[in-house]
Amino acid sequence: MTKIAFLGLGNMGGPMARNLIKAGHQVTGYDPVPAAIETAAKAGARKAGSIAEAVSGAEAVVTMLPAGAQVREAYAAIVAATPKGTLLIDSSTIDVASARAVEKLAADKGHDMVDAPVSGGVGGAEAATLTFMVGGSARAFERAKPLLEKMGKTIVHAGAPGNGQAAKICNNMILGVAMIGTCEAFALAEKLGLPAQTLFDISSKSSGQSWSMTSYCPVPGPVPTSPANRDYKPGFTAAMMLKDLKLAQEAAQAAGAATPLGASAAQLYGLFCNAGQAGADFSGIIRMLRS
Ligand code: NAD
């Protein structure tokens, strides 16, 4: 049993904390939204009124926060209130620069820290089947792995601090670009009189095959579980995709990498979100591309 402080009990953090409790760990939760703490308490978490209170006495701290600004702010409080050697795991999706900055802060204080962003969404958080992409030292990774295994199914060490975030944004840039390409192909097929099912039957077995096609098809019918079959109810929202594409663009600019399709995808998801579709599933962008 490990004493764990869990900060950020939202859509992802709430179920992740529950899975740590189910695995027999003692979890103390903090979130500025009282309802989030109450829900966690019903699942067996101890309640804390501040970050300092939550992390006091904790052997490990997990953060699942909205963005880099909140992570930087929370880490200032965490490192001030935890003894040397505490294991720190940040599973938020944030910019690589913030991830590396907080890992340096943690290392300077003698903590083991990993950035461990996830893929798998709320469904994966609930079912404990998330994929964790982990950046940090080999020692920090080995310490974090047993806890991550209680919340996920696939745990990959991506290398140095910040590499987990790098893997996450590169993966999601591929996903955003591939989804738009897949949507454009289905929209073109419609105009050419080629039925969606026929395009699917051919492309899903040909070189146009991708996860966006075979697991998350953006038109209703071919993949019964895809959000297209439920009027694009998420799933993974367009707002989340836009966030990740913007992080990829920030990183590309900082690193001097050319990502013209990533830039176009960010622009198109920006237009889609501004058209009032931020809460729709990201595959719903086919509706905008059709029009
Ligand atoms: P969310 O907004 O539901 O939850 C974030 C929680 O953090 C909120 O409850 C908020 O009150 C809390 N919070 C803010 N500042 C805090 C602080 N200083 N201390 C403690 N708690 C604080 O967001 P989410 O959907 O749970 O996403 C969390 C992270 O996971 C994000 O970085 C997101 O990009 C990433 N992510 C989300 C999904 C998804 O499908 N929702 C998938 C993969 C990754």
Side-chain angles (χ1 to χ4, degrees), residues 225-237:
T225 50
S226 78
N229 298 284
R230 42 176 208 270
D231 198 26
Y232 301 98
K233 189 169 164 282
F236 185 59
T237 62

Side-chain angles (χ1 to χ4, degrees), residues 58-131:
E59 297 158 278
V61 179
V62 184
T63 41
M64 193 52 169
L65 303 172
Q70 290 86 2
V71 172
R72 281 177 185 258
E73 199 185 305
Y75 263 76
I78 293 166
V79 297
T82 44
K84 191 174 167 189
T86 308
L87 172 65
L88 308 178
I89 300 173
D90 179 39
S91 281
S92 329
T93 301
I94 65 170
D95 57 291
V96 175
S98 290
R100 291 189 172 147
V102 292
E103 291 192 61
K104 177 157 185 341
L105 182 71
D108 289 348
K109 295 274 182 180
H111 297 306
D112 279 332
M113 180 182 176
V114 291
D115 54 298
V118 303
S119 123
V122 176
E126 278 166 357
T129 56
L130 292 169
T131 293

Side-chain angles (χ1 to χ4, degrees), residues 203-264:
S203 276
S204 63
K205 303 274 184 305
S206 304
S207 46
Q209 187 274 339
S210 70
W211 185 89
S212 296
M213 164 83 62
T214 54
S215 296
Y216 217 81
C217 191
V219 295
V223 177
T225 50
S226 78
N229 298 284
R230 42 176 208 270
D231 198 26
Y232 301 98
K233 189 169 164 282
F236 185 59
T237 62
M240 289 279 181
M241 175 49 82
L242 179 59
K243 173 191 169 183
D244 293 354
L245 288 169
K246 282 180 171 170
L247 289 176
Q249 285 308 292
E250 258 177 61
Q253 270 157 29
T259 54
L261 287 179
S264 296

